[in-house]
Amino acid sequence: MENKKELPLGGVIPRGGTAHEYSTGGWRKLRPVVDKDKCTNCLICWVMCPDSAVITQDGKMVGFDMEHCKGCGICAVECPDKVKAIKMEEEAG
Amino acid sequence: MAISTKGQTGLTGNTAIAYAMKQINPDVCPAYPITPSTAIIEDFSSYVADGAVDTELITVESEHSAMSACIGAAAAGARVMTATSAQGLALMWEMLYIASGMRFPIVIANVNRALSAPINIHCDHSDSMGARDSGWVQLYSETVQEAYDNFIQAVRIAENEKVLLPVMVCFDGFITSHAIENISLLDDAEVREFIGEYKPRHHLLDTDNPVTYGAMTLQDTYIEFKRQQSQAMSRAKDVVTEVGREFAGKFGRDYGLMETYRLDDAEAAIVILNSAAGTTKVAADELRKQGKKVGVLRPRLFRPFPFKEMADALKNVKAVAVLDRADSMNGFGGPLFNEVRSALYELDTRPRVISRIYGLGGRDYKVKDAASVFDELLKISSTGKVETLQKYITL
């Protein structure tokens, strides 16, 4: 945005992947907290997360991308009933 | 029906526009029929069915969808056009702003028709005048020949890289759209060579270079995008002139930003759009025979409004009547009056300017109507006094 005269015509964003640069983590009211002792790495949370904010490594769930997690809580709801490894906690005021 | 491009050909306005579309061979045409523009798409759909064009004709469920599909196809990099009238254009309203804001060079034939209520299918300009602030270039056409020529030039104007804005070609419902006139058509090859190939800067089907269309802009950039659009609209004026000159050089028919008729030494002038200008010129000829100095100014380009050229053309006239085939309903006169009078305000010595609303809903405008306005103007010119600033005529 340094040079507003050079803004692309019609508001087109002339490259892909720019959503990654936009921090949506600031919208969060509740944050997901995972208990890795309970987690079975079924990766249902990774499948269901609408913001691709569940981080995996070597096929295992290792945490959340807090720059993009909006705190919607879908992961906590979708975590299987027998496991319930994810809880939503209040963000510190 | 086989149409010959040799010599003169008798065509209605709608048939001529459909033929121009066949010659242009657009990539996509989303359309919904509405009187009096229906025959454009009806004829064009025959060309599609006969394989005369490669166009993807999308029959949508409303004009809102027609313009939405135009926008989607334009984002995918297609050359897009459609046609509509009255309620159809009104239903497109929010999408008109999106088409221009996203800088898509869509071309539309708007066959001018009155807006309901009361329901009416005949000519006035309330439809396109309602869209005058939507960021579309607006060209108005007096005759079938001019509508055909404007439509072909519209492609070049819209796609010019200094412009990249949608263009609306307006002509009068039934009067021009349904009356047969002898016109000269260009050869297919001439049209193709004149319009050239459309190469969009970006498009959604280019997966190697992904782009986003329709992103949100807030307080930090929206106003810059609108200024950019306004500057492009302002540049369109010179592009309309350039394209008109090139067209005249190649095909011999010359159109500027406006037509002036017997205006050089005129004391009184009528400013009027589209087909009614023809009637007004006949009245001017008759009054000239009686030695009365009257002339006509017919704007061709209404958006962007060529206000400097307008003031220059009318600066020596003593009394001007601006005739609007649309009312701004308790604005100060009709929309054309507003702009012409405002353009003249910059002059040191200004003509007296009156507003007359005529011909709404297709009411006939006759030579005697024009003559009576000229007589009123000549009286104003000699006395310097305006008795009635604004009123309806042809009642």
Side-chain angles (χ1 to χ4, degrees):
Chain A
M1 294 309 153
E2 289 79 38
N3 190 352
K4 289 185 173 178
K5 287 183 178 168
E6 301 290 318
L7 287 175
L9 283 192
V12 71
I13 301 176
R15 62 193 171 88
T18 51
H20 192 73
E21 294 160 24
Y22 191 65
S23 173
T24 49
W27 304 7
R28 201 169 51 240
K29 188 166 173 290
L30 299 172
R31 65 162 55 219
V33 176
V34 63
D35 180 348
K36 283 307 290 179
D37 290 339
K38 291 185 187 171
C39 174
T40 62
N41 294 304
C42 69
L43 298 188
I44 289 175
C45 57
W46 176 80
V47 171
M48 302 307 286
C49 176
D51 289 300
S52 303
V54 174
I55 303 167
T56 61
Q57 204 168 17
D58 301 326
K60 292 187 172 161
M61 189 279 188
V62 297
F64 299 100
D65 166 7
M66 299 309 259
E67 276 297 298
H68 296 99
C69 169
K70 294 181 190 134
C72 69
I74 288 174
C75 54
V77 170
E78 295 296 333
C79 187
D81 286 347
K82 287 179 188 168
V83 182
K84 284 294 165 216
I86 301 173
K87 284 202 172 74
M88 301 304 288
E89 293 183 357
E90 289 277 343
E91 281 285 352
Chain B
M1 179 182 63
I3 293 174
S4 167
T5 57
K6 301 278 171 256
Q8 296 265 297
T9 312
L11 294 179
T12 67
N14 283 342
T15 312
I17 293 293
Y19 199 73
M21 285 173 69
K22 169 185 172 280
Q23 295 181 305
I24 292 164
N25 193 5
D27 300 307
V28 179
C29 170
Y32 191 85
I34 182 165
T35 303
S37 65
T38 308
I40 296 175
I41 300 304
E42 190 179 329
D43 282 10
F44 186 67
S45 66
S46 298
Y47 295 131
V48 174
D50 293 345
V53 290
D54 310 311
T55 308
E56 180 79 27
L57 179 72
I58 311 175
T59 51
V60 288
E61 77 280 23
S62 76
E63 288 87 353
H64 189 279
S65 301
M67 189 44 62
S68 300
C70 284
I71 291 165
R79 183 179 261 164
V80 191
M81 43 193 52
T82 187
T84 197
S85 293
Q87 311 307 124
L89 189 69
L91 189 51
M92 287 179 183
W93 196 79
E94 66 159 334
M95 305 317 292
L96 294 177
Y97 283 72
I98 293 171
S100 62
M102 292 174 87
R103 310 294 299 277
F104 290 138
I106 299 165
V107 174
I108 187 170
N110 182 64
V111 183
N112 286 113
R113 164 186 153 181
L115 284 173
S116 293
I119 193 165
N120 177 295
I121 56 168
H122 290 280
C123 174
D124 72 34
H125 303 155
S126 49
D127 51 2
S128 55
M129 283 300 163
R132 69 190 185 276
D133 293 342
S134 65
W136 284 58
V137 174
Q138 287 192 345
L139 291 170
Y140 285 80
S141 331
E142 180 184 337
T143 59
V144 173
Q145 181 75 68
E146 191 183 3
Y148 171 82
D149 293 343
N150 279 348
F151 200 77
I152 289 165
Q153 291 181 50
V155 176
R156 282 283 303 279
I157 296 161
E159 293 172 5
N160 186 295
E161 61 173 15
K162 286 185 269 183
V163 179
L164 286 172
L165 286 170
V167 178
M168 188 178 293
V169 175
C170 304
F171 56 96
D172 285 347
F174 289 106
I175 302 163
T176 313
S177 70
H178 284 61
I180 292 176
E181 180 186 311
N182 267 341
I183 71 163
S184 296
L185 296 166
L186 308 182
D187 288 336
D188 292 3
E190 288 175 323
V191 173
R192 274 198 296 273
E193 198 255 322
F194 186 77
I195 62 170
E197 194 187 336
Y198 173 49
K199 291 179 187 139
R201 290 186 177 206
H202 311 283
H203 64 87
L204 290 176
L205 301 183
D206 180 4
T207 50
D208 292 333
N209 301 292
V211 294
T212 298
Y213 277 107
M216 185 177 237
T217 66
L218 298 176
Q219 303 94 320
D220 56 347
T221 51
Y222 179 88
I223 191 170
E224 275 78 17
F225 283 119
K226 285 293 141 186
R227 179 162 173 265
Q228 211 178 48
Q229 197 184 326
S230 176
Q231 288 170 332
M233 184 56 109
S234 155
R235 288 193 295 269
K237 187 185 77 181
D238 288 340
V239 172
V240 169
T241 306
E242 284 163 27
V243 171
R245 276 198 199 127
E246 189 186 325
F247 190 90
K250 286 186 167 149
F251 310 121
R253 290 186 294 276
D254 196 0
Y255 305 98
L257 302 176
M258 61 192 71
E259 179 195 358
T260 53
Y261 186 77
R262 309 192 86 157
L263 205 56
D264 288 344
D265 63 339
E267 277 176 33
I270 289 179
V271 180
I272 192 163
L273 292 166
N274 280 8
S275 66
T279 313
T280 313
K281 284 184 253 182
V282 172
D285 286 344
E286 289 190 4
L287 293 176
R288 282 274 177 180
K289 279 181 207 156
Q290 300 165 26
K292 295 175 180 174
K293 291 182 173 175
V294 296
V296 183
L297 190 152
R298 179 179 65 85
R300 172 175 175 245
L301 182 68
F302 183 69
R303 278 290 180 274
F305 190 72
F307 54 92
K308 281 185 187 152
E309 292 79 358
M310 184 67 68
D312 194 51
L314 294 172
K315 65 176 187 287
N316 296 324
V317 178
K318 287 185 181 146
V320 176
V322 184
L323 268 62
D324 271 282
R325 207 163 197 159
D327 192 357
S328 283
M329 292 295 162
N330 234 353
F332 183 31
L336 183 61
F337 168 78
N338 251 294
E339 310 231 356
V340 172
R341 190 169 154 117
S342 179
L344 298 181
Y345 194 81
E346 289 303 306
L347 293 172
D348 293 331
T349 317
R350 294 186 288 270
R352 308 303 298 260
V353 192
I354 59 170
S355 165
R356 296 291 178 264
I357 309 283
Y358 78 99
L360 300 188
R363 173 64 55 83
D364 239 2
Y365 167 80
K366 296 177 176 155
V367 174
K368 69 175 174 61
D369 298 314
S372 124
V373 174
F374 275 131
D375 282 340
E376 208 178 339
L377 288 173
L378 289 166
K379 198 172 154 200
I380 292 170
S381 160
S382 62
T383 63
K385 282 182 189 163
V386 173
E387 275 177 24
T388 313
L389 186 57
Q390 37 185 338
K391 71 173 178 190
Y392 273 56
I393 58 168
T394 64
L395 291 167

